[in-house]
Amino acid sequence: MSVLIYAENAGGKFKKSVFEAVSYARAIADQNNTTLTAVSIGNVDTAELAALGKYGANKVLNVSGDKLKNFVNQAYASVIAEAAKSEGSDIVVLSNTFSGRGLAPRVGVKLEAGVADSSVALPVQDGGTFKVKKTAFSGKAFATVELTSAIKVISLVPNSYKVVETGEIAEVVDFKAETKDSDFKAMIKDIVRASDKVSLPDAEIVVSGGRGMKGPENWGLIEELASILGAATACSKPVSDAGWRPHSEHVGQTGIAVSPNLYIAVGISGAIQHLAGVSSSKVIVVINKDPEAPFFKVADYGIVGDAFEVLPQLIAAVKQYKASA
Amino acid sequence: MKILVCVSNVPDTTTKITFTDNNTQFNTNGVQFILNPYDEIALARAIELTDGGKGTVTVINVGEANTDATIRKALAIGATDAVRVNAKPHDAWFVAYQIAQYVKANPFDLILTGRESIDYNGSKVAGMLGELLDLPSVSIIKKLEAGDSEATVEREIEGGKEVLTIPYPFVAGAAEGVAEPKIPNMRGIMAARTKPLTVIEPAEVKTLSEIVSYETPAPRGQVTLVSATDTAKLVELLHAEARVI
Ligand SMILES: Cc1cc2nc3c(=O)[nH]c(=O)nc-3n(C[C@H](O)[C@H](O)[C@H](O)COP(=O)(O)OP(=O)(O)OC[C@H]3O[C@@H](n4cnc5c(N)ncnc54)[C@H](O)[C@@H]3O)c2cc1C
Ligand SMILES: Nc1ncnc2c1ncn2[C@@H]1O[C@H](COP(=O)(O)O)[C@@H](O)[C@H]1O
């Protein structure tokens, strides 16, 4: 028995969500008095791989090579399942990223494992049962799922488990996995990454604008506040429907669910569908000119005022704070 | 082109979620059920791709008789025919297994799901189907252009996007951007009444997971209001009290 964590790289580097998932997987290994193996696929240098040991990986399997340089869902799933078999792992952890959402169900089927997607807490194991808490109903609730299969697959929501540094440098070993030709039918034509922006799903701070921002020409204020806070930008559904912002920024029940440490909502009324995707944020700040806006009912801090007066002042205040900090 | 669209029957987005039986059952009392919003997008794209006699669109649902209204809505929007696997959708694995059994006997060129169901939100059915059928799968796509032997899809990645070409058949989960949902018109609603809806019985499958309980998020405390002219105070609170900046 052992625990396996798939460490997903972005352009050869690991992001915080990976360190969270490794820390989480370490805690599960500790619950079971066993070892933690990380598997990395793609081209990541040895120092970066070995550093996963800091978060508790005992060993890192390095799967590289031209064919596996870029993410191919089917092939990566085969590699992860092969790694789990070779390590005798009965618990496999992934991050609930866009790629992770493609992999977890495929790995689950390959290992005949129950899959707890979007997990937000450590599993509870007692009396031979294995239960995982996950988000459900688009963030309006949580469900506790018991995995009754011999092998278990869990995918962890970014920002829901703290990074813990426990160990040292891990041993890195090359690993060759069987893949089939049919694993490579999907071909990547192009990858576009906006490298200067914080990506919404992993952001610790999110600044979000709604219809109260009046038009796309006013988004400079949202972007400036986001940029000085190191935050990602987001929006309500009508804003992306109107084409003011891309769909990838739309949060809520039918958009992306986010759980940052800080969510700042500007000119957003707080409709139930919007709240569904943001209610697991740790701290919510609402700026709205209407004191009756429903968003204030779920906010931690609020400013009743006109966004076009409040934002420039808030930007100035944050700049001042950053300068003195 | 023969397209299969997997549709799920979910609580309306305005539903206030509550539970019964000691938080073990979702309280469906007074809840309106709808066609999952992402499945509407998948269906709309499937109809566009087969428009003008270029193919057929079959919708499939794993559910009990109470989902027929949602299936009829999909037919009213423009699906050609429908299949319902007569069983409670126990979990994504159960659903994917049943759909895979059907597809093995009735092949399709393209299988579309929604990116996720808004009740369980697993984004799992597409990937599980792909694996069960040994087909490529992309769980969340933002664009789908269909060529003769392959399609070009765009998928979201953190902070960007990726463009892929995939030969048919494959499985993909539709998200916003793929198409605009279609609203059924009177003719569609009339036609839906007589379109074929075949009910089939489920296959036996091993159970891998079980939902044991639910909970709703802890309510937040009272909001602390800060004056619009004192934004420095807000910054101070976020730093010293909330410790988030
Ligand atoms: C099936 C379905 C799914 C949906 N899914 C989502 C979803 O995932 N995400 C989502 O966001 N919505 C979703 N919605 C839409 C949702 O119901 C609301 O319509 C939407 O969230 C409202 O967006 P908004 O708050 O930006 O706009 P509005 O409701 O128009 O609110 C604008 C707010 O801005 C304030 N305002 C105006 N001017 C100013 C100013 N100068 N300064 C400060 N404040 C100002 C107003 O007081 C108001 O509160 C969904 C709806 C449906 C039917
Ligand atoms: N009971 C069901 N019957 C048919 N298709 C379903 C069912 N449940 C989910 N799906 C499909 O799978 C997609 C993803 O669901 P999920 O994995 O639950 O997030 C949905 O958008 C549907 O297309």
Side-chain angles (χ1 to χ4, degrees):
Chain A
M1 146 178 228
S2 77
V3 180
L4 184 80
I5 158 85
Y6 166 58
E8 168 186 340
N9 75 80
K13 294 279 172 228
F14 295 125
K15 289 200 286 193
K16 190 171 146 262
S17 59
V18 172
F19 306 141
E20 291 168 355
V22 178
S23 305
Y24 174 85
R26 174 73 255 164
I28 300 178
D30 288 343
Q31 284 181 341
N32 295 288
N33 276 319
T34 185
T35 54
L36 175 65
T37 303
V39 55
S40 160
I41 313 174
N43 296 341
V44 184
D45 69 42
T46 314
E48 183 83 5
L49 292 170
L52 292 177
K54 279 202 287 191
Y55 312 98
N58 301 99
K59 176 164 83 175
V60 182
L61 304 180
N62 179 27
V63 187
S64 55
D66 267 358
K67 262 173 106 180
L68 291 165
K69 198 172 69 188
N70 286 317
F71 177 79
V72 190
N73 194 13
Q74 247 179 308
Y76 275 40
S78 295
V79 172
I80 296 166
E82 287 293 314
K85 284 180 197 155
S86 128
E87 290 292 302
S89 309
D90 46 13
I91 300 168
V92 179
V93 179
L94 303 97
S95 305
N96 200 42
T97 57
F98 290 116
S99 298
R101 282 172 176 236
L103 292 169
R106 294 199 79 119
V107 172
V109 171
K110 280 179 192 288
L111 300 173
E112 215 182 85
V115 182
D117 57 87
S118 32
S119 152
V120 292
L122 279 177
V124 174
Q125 303 184 55
D126 62 65
T129 64
F130 190 99
K131 295 178 192 152
V132 187
K133 180 170 160 180
K134 58 152 279 180
T135 60
F137 296 98
S138 307
K140 290 178 182 172
F142 298 100
T144 296
V145 183
E146 180 177 349
L147 300 181
T148 52
S149 49
I151 300 179
K152 284 114 180 143
V153 173
I154 307 175
S155 79
L156 177 71
V157 172
N159 254 320
S160 57
Y161 194 82
K162 281 234 165 330
V163 173
V164 191
E165 291 198 22
T166 46
E168 289 164 17
I169 298 303
E171 173 200 8
V172 178
V173 291
D174 282 333
F175 181 74
K176 290 262 170 291
E178 288 282 323
T179 51
K180 301 175 293 189
D181 283 347
S182 65
D183 282 344
F184 294 91
K185 281 188 199 150
M187 305 272 286
I188 298 179
K189 289 286 155 202
D190 196 14
I191 300 178
V192 185
R193 261 185 234 274
S195 54
D196 55 326
K197 289 194 75 178
V198 180
S199 98
L200 181 55
D202 347 275
E204 289 180 30
I205 302 180
V206 174
V207 182
S208 188
R211 217 146 49 175
M213 288 304 295
K214 304 287 188 285
E217 67 282 5
N218 299 323
W219 241 261
L221 288 167
I222 299 282
E223 289 188 318
E224 186 173 4
L225 180 59
S227 137
I228 52 177
L229 285 170
T233 53
C235 67
S236 66
K237 178 166 154 55
V239 164
S240 60
D241 284 347
W244 297 359
R245 302 296 292 176
H247 280 307
S248 54
E249 283 195 6
H250 151 206
V251 293
Q253 182 152 17
T254 53
I256 290 183
V258 292
S259 47
N261 295 339
L262 174 60
Y263 183 79
I264 304 179
V266 189
I268 304 177
S269 57
I272 186 167
Q273 296 98 345
H274 185 85
L275 298 182
V278 305
S279 59
S280 56
S281 307
K282 278 162 206 107
V283 173
I284 294 179
V285 173
V286 170
I287 300 169
N288 196 303
K289 71 173 184 191
D290 174 8
E292 301 299 322
F295 221 144
F296 284 116
K297 293 207 174 60
V298 297
D300 300 286
Y301 300 97
I303 291 183
V304 179
D306 188 320
F308 300 103
E309 285 161 23
V310 175
L311 280 179
Q313 290 184 43
L314 182 58
I315 289 165
V318 175
K319 276 188 181 156
Q320 196 168 19
Y321 158 75
K322 291 275 175 190
S324 65
Chain B
M1 177 146 68
K2 276 187 75 179
I3 307 180
L4 181 69
V5 180
C6 307
V7 296
S8 84
N9 182 53
V10 296
D12 178 72
T13 58
T14 56
T15 309
K16 195 167 176 323
I17 304 294
T18 58
F19 304 102
T20 62
D21 297 355
N22 205 9
N23 285 331
T24 58
Q25 301 291 328
F26 169 51
N27 184 2
T28 56
N29 209 336
V31 172
Q32 168 99 30
F33 280 81
I34 58 166
L35 176 57
N36 187 37
Y38 294 114
D39 306 353
E40 281 190 326
I41 296 175
L43 178 61
R45 189 67 187 133
I47 292 167
E48 285 168 9
L49 292 176
T50 52
D51 217 15
K54 290 199 299 264
T56 57
V57 178
T58 301
V59 291
I60 188 165
N61 168 259
V62 179
E64 293 171 307
N66 60 344
T67 68
D68 281 351
T70 289
I71 299 176
R72 289 282 172 211
K73 174 158 184 208
L75 290 169
I77 292 170
T80 319
D81 56 6
V83 178
R84 179 166 65 79
V85 182
N86 188 27
K88 204 164 174 258
H90 180 80
D91 59 10
W93 159 248
F94 179 87
V95 168
Y97 189 87
Q98 302 304 334
I99 298 174
Q101 290 303 106
Y102 178 77
V103 174
K104 280 177 187 163
N106 305 272
F108 288 86
D109 302 307
L110 178 60
I111 301 169
L112 295 178
T113 70
R115 69 170 269 179
E116 65 187 41
S117 57
I118 63 164
D119 46 3
Y120 297 111
N121 320 105
S123 284
K124 288 193 293 200
V125 171
M128 287 180 168
L129 259 179
E131 190 59 41
L132 285 164
L133 297 167
D134 195 19
L135 297 177
S137 63
V138 188
S139 290
I140 305 178
I141 58 167
K142 310 201 294 178
K143 232 182 218 160
L144 167 64
E145 298 300 336
D148 288 338
S149 60
E150 60 178 27
T152 303
V153 306
E154 213 175 279
R155 94 174 172 99
E156 204 156 337
I157 55 176
E158 279 70 18
K161 63 175 186 187
E162 195 176 279
V163 183
L164 303 147
T165 55
I166 317 179
Y168 305 120
F170 67 91
V171 189
E176 280 181 312
V178 166
E180 283 303 318
K182 290 191 195 314
I183 295 155
N185 57 25
M186 209 50 211
R187 243 182 71 217
I189 294 167
M190 297 302 286
R193 293 190 188 154
T194 53
K195 283 181 180 172
L197 191 175
T198 313
V199 178
I200 58 176
E201 291 305 315
E204 283 273 347
V205 55
K206 200 167 153 187
T207 303
L208 302 178
S209 82
E210 203 81 58
I211 292 183
V212 288
S213 64
Y214 294 99
E215 61 197 275
T216 41
R220 281 172 199 269
Q222 271 277 311
V223 55
T224 304
L225 288 179
V226 176
S227 153
T229 52
D230 195 6
T231 49
K233 172 84 184 162
L234 176 64
V235 174
E236 162 70 20
L237 286 168
L238 292 177
H239 172 66
E241 188 179 80
R243 297 172 182 278
V244 287
I245 61 171

